[in-house]
Amino acid sequence: GGAVESTATAYRGTGGSGALDGFLFALGLVPTCMFALGMINVLEHYGALRAARKLLTPLLRPLMGVPGTVGLALIGSLQSTDVGAGMTKGLADS
């Protein structure tokens, strides 16, 4: 025989995933999160959220009896971000 066995134990867990995989996954999310936050800030500056509220209000008011702001909070809640929680808290405060 003379077979050489190599082991890859650098931050790997039992099933092949571990701290290294988690770190690389989180590192891969940073560019997309930064881009999304930047786009939201630019669109908010130009009034896109205000326009979305005005467009959603005539649609949602007859159907569900809620204004467009609630519709935006609902859309934010259906995504996997904290936007919906922040918008819902703002609605509850006002």
Side-chain angles (χ1 to χ4, degrees):
V4 177
E5 290 184 28
S6 65
T7 58
T9 60
Y11 301 106
R12 295 283 180 184
T14 306
S17 62
L20 180 65
D21 293 330
F23 178 76
L24 290 176
F25 176 73
L27 192 62
L29 290 178
V30 170
T32 55
C33 289
M34 293 300 290
F35 177 73
L37 289 172
M39 288 302 298
I40 288 171
N41 283 332
V42 168
L43 292 173
E44 185 178 15
H45 175 74
Y46 287 117
L49 292 177
R50 190 176 31 227
R53 285 185 200 114
K54 287 184 180 181
L55 288 173
L56 285 174
T57 298
L59 179 68
L60 294 177
R61 180 80 65 184
L63 290 176
M64 294 189 281
V66 295
T69 307
V70 175
L72 287 177
L74 176 66
I75 291 169
S77 294
L78 294 176
Q79 299 173 353
S80 58
T81 60
D82 294 334
V83 174
M87 292 181 80
T88 304
K89 183 185 181 308
L91 288 171
D93 291 344
S94 67

